[in-house]
mmCIF file of all heavy atoms in Angstrom:
data_model
loop_
_atom_site.group_PDB
_atom_site.id
_atom_site.type_symbol
_atom_site.label_atom_id
_atom_site.label_comp_id
_atom_site.label_asym_id
_atom_site.label_seq_id
_atom_site.Cartn_x
_atom_site.Cartn_y
_atom_site.Cartn_z
ATOM 1 N N ILE A 985 -26.831 -0.790 -15.277
ATOM 2 C CA ILE A 985 -25.469 -0.789 -15.603
ATOM 3 C C ILE A 985 -24.862 0.543 -16.024
ATOM 4 O O ILE A 985 -23.717 0.983 -15.440
ATOM 5 C CB ILE A 985 -25.071 -1.842 -16.689
ATOM 6 C CG1 ILE A 985 -25.308 -3.257 -16.157
ATOM 7 C CG2 ILE A 985 -23.670 -1.740 -17.199
ATOM 8 C CD1 ILE A 985 -25.240 -4.328 -17.325
ATOM 9 N N ASP A 986 -25.519 1.207 -16.870
ATOM 10 C CA ASP A 986 -25.074 2.536 -17.331
ATOM 11 C C ASP A 986 -24.987 3.577 -16.179
ATOM 12 O O ASP A 986 -24.215 4.389 -15.994
ATOM 13 C CB ASP A 986 -25.869 3.122 -18.479
ATOM 14 C CG ASP A 986 -27.275 3.347 -18.118
ATOM 15 O OD1 ASP A 986 -27.877 2.338 -17.784
ATOM 16 O OD2 ASP A 986 -27.730 4.435 -18.360
ATOM 17 N N MET A 987 -25.960 3.418 -15.272
ATOM 18 C CA MET A 987 -26.036 4.319 -14.086
ATOM 19 C C MET A 987 -24.839 4.155 -13.132
ATOM 20 O O MET A 987 -24.208 5.086 -12.745
ATOM 21 C CB MET A 987 -27.337 3.991 -13.376
ATOM 22 C CG MET A 987 -27.554 4.731 -12.091
ATOM 23 S SD MET A 987 -29.272 4.512 -11.324
ATOM 24 C CE MET A 987 -29.130 2.939 -10.636
ATOM 25 N N ILE A 988 -24.567 2.848 -12.799
ATOM 26 C CA ILE A 988 -23.474 2.600 -11.812
ATOM 27 C C ILE A 988 -22.060 2.882 -12.484
ATOM 28 O O ILE A 988 -21.141 3.228 -11.836
ATOM 29 C CB ILE A 988 -23.601 1.232 -11.140
ATOM 30 C CG1 ILE A 988 -23.269 0.139 -12.168
ATOM 31 C CG2 ILE A 988 -24.872 1.005 -10.468
ATOM 32 C CD1 ILE A 988 -22.938 -1.147 -11.556
ATOM 33 N N GLU A 989 -21.969 2.719 -13.840
ATOM 34 C CA GLU A 989 -20.762 3.058 -14.552
ATOM 35 C C GLU A 989 -20.624 4.598 -14.537
ATOM 36 O O GLU A 989 -19.362 5.076 -14.495
ATOM 37 C CB GLU A 989 -20.759 2.486 -15.907
ATOM 38 C CG GLU A 989 -20.605 1.018 -15.927
ATOM 39 C CD GLU A 989 -20.547 0.403 -17.415
ATOM 40 O OE1 GLU A 989 -21.142 1.132 -18.301
ATOM 41 O OE2 GLU A 989 -19.987 -0.549 -17.623
ATOM 42 N N LEU A 990 -21.596 5.356 -14.650
ATOM 43 C CA LEU A 990 -21.456 6.852 -14.604
ATOM 44 C C LEU A 990 -21.155 7.390 -13.301
ATOM 45 O O LEU A 990 -20.235 8.345 -13.316
ATOM 46 C CB LEU A 990 -22.799 7.458 -15.068
ATOM 47 C CG LEU A 990 -22.952 8.986 -15.081
ATOM 48 C CD1 LEU A 990 -21.963 9.650 -16.050
ATOM 49 C CD2 LEU A 990 -24.322 9.413 -15.385
ATOM 50 N N ALA A 991 -21.615 6.729 -12.237
ATOM 51 C CA ALA A 991 -21.362 7.416 -10.925
ATOM 52 C C ALA A 991 -19.906 7.220 -10.498
ATOM 53 O O ALA A 991 -19.219 6.238 -10.955
ATOM 54 C CB ALA A 991 -22.259 6.698 -9.926
ATOM 55 N N GLY A 992 -19.510 8.121 -9.620
ATOM 56 C CA GLY A 992 -18.207 7.981 -9.075
ATOM 57 C C GLY A 992 -17.983 6.593 -8.300
ATOM 58 O O GLY A 992 -16.908 6.151 -8.272
ATOM 59 N N LEU A 993 -19.020 6.172 -7.704
ATOM 60 C CA LEU A 993 -19.028 4.974 -6.881
ATOM 61 C C LEU A 993 -20.297 4.192 -7.387
ATOM 62 O O LEU A 993 -21.344 4.567 -6.930
ATOM 63 C CB LEU A 993 -19.048 5.245 -5.338
ATOM 64 C CG LEU A 993 -19.040 3.996 -4.386
ATOM 65 C CD1 LEU A 993 -17.934 3.089 -4.703
ATOM 66 C CD2 LEU A 993 -19.156 4.443 -2.986
ATOM 67 N N GLY A 994 -20.118 3.080 -7.994
ATOM 68 C CA GLY A 994 -21.166 2.270 -8.451
ATOM 69 C C GLY A 994 -21.202 1.048 -7.644
ATOM 70 O O GLY A 994 -20.327 0.284 -7.631
ATOM 71 N N ILE A 995 -22.481 0.761 -7.091
ATOM 72 C CA ILE A 995 -22.640 -0.375 -6.134
ATOM 73 C C ILE A 995 -23.694 -1.358 -6.663
ATOM 74 O O ILE A 995 -24.835 -0.842 -6.918
ATOM 75 C CB ILE A 995 -22.953 0.102 -4.729
ATOM 76 C CG1 ILE A 995 -21.736 0.950 -4.202
ATOM 77 C CG2 ILE A 995 -23.150 -1.035 -3.862
ATOM 78 C CD1 ILE A 995 -22.119 1.704 -2.895
ATOM 79 N N ALA A 996 -23.336 -2.557 -6.798
ATOM 80 C CA ALA A 996 -24.350 -3.635 -7.219
ATOM 81 C C ALA A 996 -24.787 -4.336 -5.959
ATOM 82 O O ALA A 996 -24.036 -4.716 -5.048
ATOM 83 C CB ALA A 996 -23.704 -4.597 -8.155
ATOM 84 N N MET A 997 -26.078 -4.556 -5.921
ATOM 85 C CA MET A 997 -26.688 -5.310 -4.842
ATOM 86 C C MET A 997 -26.357 -6.735 -5.035
ATOM 87 O O MET A 997 -26.131 -7.235 -6.118
ATOM 88 C CB MET A 997 -28.220 -5.148 -4.846
ATOM 89 C CG MET A 997 -28.676 -3.753 -4.806
ATOM 90 S SD MET A 997 -28.025 -2.764 -3.396
ATOM 91 C CE MET A 997 -28.855 -3.621 -2.036
ATOM 92 N N GLY A 998 -26.192 -7.551 -3.847
ATOM 93 C CA GLY A 998 -25.800 -8.910 -3.950
ATOM 94 C C GLY A 998 -26.905 -9.803 -4.687
ATOM 95 O O GLY A 998 -26.520 -10.822 -5.142
ATOM 96 N N ASN A 999 -28.133 -9.279 -4.799
ATOM 97 C CA ASN A 999 -29.154 -10.010 -5.626
ATOM 98 C C ASN A 999 -29.144 -9.594 -7.092
ATOM 99 O O ASN A 999 -30.020 -9.968 -7.834
ATOM 100 C CB ASN A 999 -30.611 -9.694 -5.010
ATOM 101 C CG ASN A 999 -30.835 -8.249 -4.774
ATOM 102 O OD1 ASN A 999 -30.311 -7.703 -3.771
ATOM 103 N ND2 ASN A 999 -31.611 -7.635 -5.595
ATOM 104 N N GLY A 1000 -28.186 -8.746 -7.406
ATOM 105 C CA GLY A 1000 -28.034 -8.273 -8.784
ATOM 106 C C GLY A 1000 -27.556 -9.270 -9.789
ATOM 107 O O GLY A 1000 -27.095 -10.451 -9.474
ATOM 108 N N SER A 1001 -27.625 -8.876 -11.053
ATOM 109 C CA SER A 1001 -27.152 -9.886 -12.140
ATOM 110 C C SER A 1001 -25.603 -9.915 -12.174
ATOM 111 O O SER A 1001 -25.003 -8.916 -11.784
ATOM 112 C CB SER A 1001 -27.651 -9.375 -13.515
ATOM 113 O OG SER A 1001 -27.020 -8.206 -13.911
ATOM 114 N N ASP A 1002 -25.118 -10.950 -12.725
ATOM 115 C CA ASP A 1002 -23.653 -11.120 -12.727
ATOM 116 C C ASP A 1002 -23.029 -10.045 -13.695
ATOM 117 O O ASP A 1002 -21.991 -9.516 -13.384
ATOM 118 C CB ASP A 1002 -23.280 -12.474 -13.294
ATOM 119 C CG ASP A 1002 -23.490 -13.532 -12.254
ATOM 120 O OD1 ASP A 1002 -23.672 -13.296 -11.141
ATOM 121 O OD2 ASP A 1002 -23.710 -14.658 -12.749
ATOM 122 N N THR A 1003 -23.718 -9.610 -14.688
ATOM 123 C CA THR A 1003 -23.214 -8.548 -15.640
ATOM 124 C C THR A 1003 -23.178 -7.293 -14.892
ATOM 125 O O THR A 1003 -22.153 -6.504 -15.092
ATOM 126 C CB THR A 1003 -24.262 -8.422 -16.919
ATOM 127 O OG1 THR A 1003 -24.375 -9.683 -17.458
ATOM 128 C CG2 THR A 1003 -23.663 -7.444 -17.886
ATOM 129 N N LEU A 1004 -24.161 -6.949 -14.173
ATOM 130 C CA LEU A 1004 -24.098 -5.717 -13.354
ATOM 131 C C LEU A 1004 -22.915 -5.711 -12.320
ATOM 132 O O LEU A 1004 -22.208 -4.821 -12.160
ATOM 133 C CB LEU A 1004 -25.451 -5.536 -12.624
ATOM 134 C CG LEU A 1004 -25.470 -4.249 -11.675
ATOM 135 C CD1 LEU A 1004 -25.709 -2.985 -12.509
ATOM 136 C CD2 LEU A 1004 -26.575 -4.432 -10.556
ATOM 137 N N LYS A 1005 -22.773 -6.819 -11.627
ATOM 138 C CA LYS A 1005 -21.712 -6.932 -10.592
ATOM 139 C C LYS A 1005 -20.359 -6.728 -11.237
ATOM 140 O O LYS A 1005 -19.529 -6.153 -10.595
ATOM 141 C CB LYS A 1005 -21.860 -8.353 -9.891
ATOM 142 C CG LYS A 1005 -23.074 -8.510 -9.064
ATOM 143 C CD LYS A 1005 -23.123 -9.958 -8.486
ATOM 144 C CE LYS A 1005 -24.338 -10.115 -7.585
ATOM 145 N NZ LYS A 1005 -24.494 -11.472 -7.118
ATOM 146 N N SER A 1006 -20.201 -7.200 -12.439
ATOM 147 C CA SER A 1006 -18.793 -7.036 -13.090
ATOM 148 C C SER A 1006 -18.556 -5.682 -13.464
ATOM 149 O O SER A 1006 -17.413 -5.259 -13.678
ATOM 150 C CB SER A 1006 -18.802 -8.011 -14.375
ATOM 151 O OG SER A 1006 -19.689 -7.621 -15.328
ATOM 152 N N ALA A 1007 -19.660 -4.904 -13.605
ATOM 153 C CA ALA A 1007 -19.466 -3.438 -13.958
ATOM 154 C C ALA A 1007 -19.398 -2.501 -12.675
ATOM 155 O O ALA A 1007 -18.977 -1.300 -12.877
ATOM 156 C CB ALA A 1007 -20.697 -2.975 -14.777
ATOM 157 N N ALA A 1008 -19.587 -3.002 -11.516
ATOM 158 C CA ALA A 1008 -19.647 -2.230 -10.319
ATOM 159 C C ALA A 1008 -18.280 -2.079 -9.633
ATOM 160 O O ALA A 1008 -17.366 -2.779 -9.863
ATOM 161 C CB ALA A 1008 -20.681 -2.931 -9.330
ATOM 162 N N ASP A 1009 -18.217 -0.989 -8.860
ATOM 163 C CA ASP A 1009 -16.968 -0.733 -8.095
ATOM 164 C C ASP A 1009 -17.015 -1.588 -6.868
ATOM 165 O O ASP A 1009 -15.932 -2.028 -6.287
ATOM 166 C CB ASP A 1009 -16.936 0.652 -7.692
ATOM 167 C CG ASP A 1009 -16.782 1.670 -8.907
ATOM 168 O OD1 ASP A 1009 -15.914 1.446 -9.747
ATOM 169 O OD2 ASP A 1009 -17.619 2.582 -8.997
ATOM 170 N N PHE A 1010 -18.262 -1.973 -6.411
ATOM 171 C CA PHE A 1010 -18.358 -2.697 -5.178
ATOM 172 C C PHE A 1010 -19.626 -3.527 -5.257
ATOM 173 O O PHE A 1010 -20.608 -3.138 -5.684
ATOM 174 C CB PHE A 1010 -18.426 -1.732 -4.014
ATOM 175 C CG PHE A 1010 -18.484 -2.529 -2.582
ATOM 176 C CD1 PHE A 1010 -17.347 -3.074 -2.047
ATOM 177 C CD2 PHE A 1010 -19.702 -2.468 -1.905
ATOM 178 C CE1 PHE A 1010 -17.517 -3.640 -0.831
ATOM 179 C CE2 PHE A 1010 -19.807 -2.990 -0.698
ATOM 180 C CZ PHE A 1010 -18.666 -3.710 -0.118
ATOM 181 N N VAL A 1011 -19.562 -4.765 -4.702
ATOM 182 C CA VAL A 1011 -20.787 -5.588 -4.651
ATOM 183 C C VAL A 1011 -21.176 -5.733 -3.140
ATOM 184 O O VAL A 1011 -20.354 -6.283 -2.343
ATOM 185 C CB VAL A 1011 -20.561 -6.994 -5.269
ATOM 186 C CG1 VAL A 1011 -21.848 -7.812 -5.161
ATOM 187 C CG2 VAL A 1011 -20.206 -6.834 -6.757
ATOM 188 N N THR A 1012 -22.249 -5.339 -2.800
ATOM 189 C CA THR A 1012 -22.702 -5.400 -1.367
ATOM 190 C C THR A 1012 -23.586 -6.630 -1.180
ATOM 191 O O THR A 1012 -23.746 -7.501 -2.017
ATOM 192 C CB THR A 1012 -23.444 -4.099 -1.026
ATOM 193 O OG1 THR A 1012 -23.669 -4.029 0.356
ATOM 194 C CG2 THR A 1012 -24.808 -3.899 -1.773
ATOM 195 N N LYS A 1013 -24.167 -6.674 -0.019
ATOM 196 C CA LYS A 1013 -25.129 -7.785 0.261
ATOM 197 C C LYS A 1013 -26.454 -7.573 -0.436
ATOM 198 O O LYS A 1013 -26.734 -6.573 -1.007
ATOM 199 C CB LYS A 1013 -25.423 -7.844 1.800
ATOM 200 C CG LYS A 1013 -24.099 -8.092 2.689
ATOM 201 C CD LYS A 1013 -24.447 -8.172 4.126
ATOM 202 C CE LYS A 1013 -23.266 -8.536 5.033
ATOM 203 N NZ LYS A 1013 -23.583 -8.501 6.468
ATOM 204 N N LYS A 1014 -27.352 -8.522 -0.376
ATOM 205 C CA LYS A 1014 -28.613 -8.436 -0.930
ATOM 206 C C LYS A 1014 -29.495 -7.295 -0.415
ATOM 207 O O LYS A 1014 -29.226 -7.033 0.801
ATOM 208 C CB LYS A 1014 -29.314 -9.812 -0.941
ATOM 209 C CG LYS A 1014 -28.649 -10.969 -1.664
ATOM 210 C CD LYS A 1014 -29.428 -12.258 -1.510
ATOM 211 C CE LYS A 1014 -28.746 -13.345 -2.249
ATOM 212 N NZ LYS A 1014 -29.419 -14.653 -2.140
ATOM 213 N N SER A 1015 -30.416 -6.822 -1.089
ATOM 214 C CA SER A 1015 -31.222 -5.792 -0.529
ATOM 215 C C SER A 1015 -32.032 -6.241 0.697
ATOM 216 O O SER A 1015 -32.265 -5.461 1.663
ATOM 217 C CB SER A 1015 -32.312 -5.267 -1.581
ATOM 218 O OG SER A 1015 -33.164 -6.277 -2.014
ATOM 219 N N GLY A 1016 -32.446 -7.500 0.828
ATOM 220 C CA GLY A 1016 -33.131 -8.081 1.912
ATOM 221 C C GLY A 1016 -32.264 -8.300 3.032
ATOM 222 O O GLY A 1016 -32.644 -8.789 4.125
ATOM 223 N N GLU A 1017 -30.847 -8.183 2.894
ATOM 224 C CA GLU A 1017 -29.889 -8.342 3.865
ATOM 225 C C GLU A 1017 -29.307 -7.044 4.410
ATOM 226 O O GLU A 1017 -28.138 -7.032 4.736
ATOM 227 C CB GLU A 1017 -28.870 -9.361 3.448
ATOM 228 C CG GLU A 1017 -29.525 -10.744 3.224
ATOM 229 C CD GLU A 1017 -28.546 -11.647 2.512
ATOM 230 O OE1 GLU A 1017 -27.385 -11.230 2.065
ATOM 231 O OE2 GLU A 1017 -28.830 -12.898 2.355
ATOM 232 N N ASP A 1018 -29.959 -5.927 4.177
ATOM 233 C CA ASP A 1018 -29.463 -4.582 4.460
ATOM 234 C C ASP A 1018 -28.186 -4.267 3.681
ATOM 235 O O ASP A 1018 -27.227 -3.725 4.159
ATOM 236 C CB ASP A 1018 -29.270 -4.432 5.963
ATOM 237 C CG ASP A 1018 -30.442 -4.631 6.818
ATOM 238 O OD1 ASP A 1018 -31.568 -4.117 6.282
ATOM 239 O OD2 ASP A 1018 -30.442 -5.226 7.874
ATOM 240 N N GLY A 1019 -28.211 -4.537 2.393
ATOM 241 C CA GLY A 1019 -26.974 -4.255 1.568
ATOM 242 C C GLY A 1019 -26.707 -2.880 1.359
ATOM 243 O O GLY A 1019 -25.474 -2.509 1.284
ATOM 244 N N ILE A 1020 -27.645 -1.963 1.476
ATOM 245 C CA ILE A 1020 -27.481 -0.590 1.292
ATOM 246 C C ILE A 1020 -26.643 -0.107 2.510
ATOM 247 O O ILE A 1020 -25.630 0.646 2.351
ATOM 248 C CB ILE A 1020 -28.682 0.268 1.169
ATOM 249 C CG1 ILE A 1020 -29.347 -0.090 -0.207
ATOM 250 C CG2 ILE A 1020 -28.401 1.726 1.311
ATOM 251 C CD1 ILE A 1020 -30.791 0.523 -0.303
ATOM 252 N N GLU A 1021 -27.060 -0.502 3.563
ATOM 253 C CA GLU A 1021 -26.362 -0.087 4.887
ATOM 254 C C GLU A 1021 -24.916 -0.625 4.915
ATOM 255 O O GLU A 1021 -24.004 0.083 5.270
ATOM 256 C CB GLU A 1021 -27.130 -0.538 6.148
ATOM 257 C CG GLU A 1021 -26.347 -0.200 7.457
ATOM 258 C CD GLU A 1021 -27.048 -0.905 8.612
ATOM 259 O OE1 GLU A 1021 -27.385 -2.062 8.586
ATOM 260 O OE2 GLU A 1021 -27.288 -0.171 9.644
#
């Protein structure tokens, strides 16, 4: 959480926790679904 809040663009993986997702700028797909891409 502190890492993605610090970054100019914080991205939570779709498999991430709800708390992390609420802190992110963007919620992507799960890591197993090519969420980074």
